[in-house]
Amino acid sequence: MTQCCINPSILSADFVNLEAELNRISNADAVHVDVMDNHFVPNLTLGLPVVERIQAVSPVPLDAHLMISDADRWAPAFADAGLASVTFHAEAAMAPVKLARELRARGSKAGMALRPATPVEPYLDMLSEVDMLLIMTVEPGFGGQAFLDVTLPKIRRARAAIDGSGIGVAIQVDGGITEETILRAAEAGANVFVAGSAVYGHQDPAAAIERLREAGRAVLDSASVKP
């Protein structure tokens, strides 16, 4: 069975009761933590000390998405905190290969993210250096945006390149994921799905995760897409 991962974004959670909110999604594959610095994106969320506390109480691994400037300088500290996965933006890294290798050397999986308008082609040759490619399906910086269908061809090109090379790189999508849009993203070749309001907007987030997983898995199994 093809792996279909659902990583809920706590950007849509109740920050006043964050530990309880984490426990409500204990059936998730990972917790997606959006770190924004009010420079790379026009919003400010969580810093390293808060992420470290989340790491200490989370029932599932942490998947950090660093929407920050100067990723080369700051990203390694998140790997040092013990996070399972740390994703930096290619647009914010001066030496992405070096940074990816450093994250891996410090014990985290390395992810590289691309904004919707950033082409994937310049980065195809370095995909063997990362564990995951995050293709943003909305503009980074805010939750609750609508899925951008214009990103689907990029997902398909990335999937074709990954499958053609035989490397085991996951494709994550982030932004506007619902029970409907997950079908299009999975058909295009994504297999890791970040969902915020589609999970925390429901009274039973765990049940929402299962519905998303079932929908995505059905498409991936049908297409025989490999993560």
Side-chain angles (χ1 to χ4, degrees):
M1 180 177 290
T2 301
Q3 184 181 12
C4 173
C5 298
I6 306 299
N7 296 9
S9 169
I10 58 171
L11 193 63
S12 298
D14 178 1
F15 274 39
V16 175
N17 300 292
L18 201 48
E19 184 173 358
E21 292 284 76
L22 292 166
N23 287 322
R24 296 175 75 199
I25 57 166
S26 60
N27 61 327
D29 295 282
V31 176
H32 190 82
V33 181
D34 292 298
V35 178
M36 307 181 193
D37 65 355
N38 196 31
H39 293 284
F40 182 72
V41 293
N43 203 351
L44 182 66
T45 56
L46 309 173
L48 181 59
V50 175
V51 174
E52 288 175 330
R53 286 297 300 137
I54 295 172
Q55 168 76 9
V57 301
S58 176
V60 293
L62 263 61
D63 164 36
H65 177 194
L66 306 184
M67 288 167 272
I68 61 175
S69 301
D70 199 3
D72 306 80
R73 176 183 180 186
W74 299 112
F78 288 84
D80 286 341
L83 274 65
S85 177
V86 178
T87 297
F88 61 88
H89 267 265
E91 304 92 345
M94 294 295 293
V97 172
K98 179 177 180 293
L99 178 54
R101 290 180 177 181
E102 188 168 0
L103 294 173
R104 284 173 152 182
R106 296 183 184 215
S108 290
K109 289 184 178 181
M112 181 174 63
L114 303 177
R115 288 178 180 266
T118 301
V120 70
E121 284 74 15
Y123 301 98
L124 293 179
D125 288 342
M126 68 163 287
L127 287 181
S128 61
E129 300 287 346
V130 300
D131 301 286
M132 183 170 68
L133 176 66
L134 167 52
I135 295 178
M136 293 297 300
T137 46
V138 299
E139 287 296 336
F142 296 93
Q145 299 182 65
F147 184 90
L148 295 173
D149 284 284
V150 294
T151 60
L152 291 171
K154 181 162 66 172
I155 298 170
R156 292 190 181 97
R157 293 194 299 273
R159 173 52 64 192
I162 289 169
D163 288 351
S165 65
I167 55 177
V169 177
I171 297 180
Q172 183 181 76
V173 287
D174 180 3
I177 296 299
T178 66
E179 290 182 52
E180 189 273 325
T181 59
I182 194 173
L183 303 177
R184 301 204 295 276
E187 185 278 330
N191 68 292
V192 182
F193 306 93
V194 177
S197 55
V199 171
Y200 279 112
H202 290 273
Q203 192 170 19
D204 187 347
I209 290 170
E210 291 303 326
R211 289 193 296 270
L212 287 167
R213 184 180 286 125
E214 182 179 352
R217 183 181 288 161
V219 176
L220 293 173
D221 286 346
S222 175
S224 299
V225 175
K226 296 180 180 180

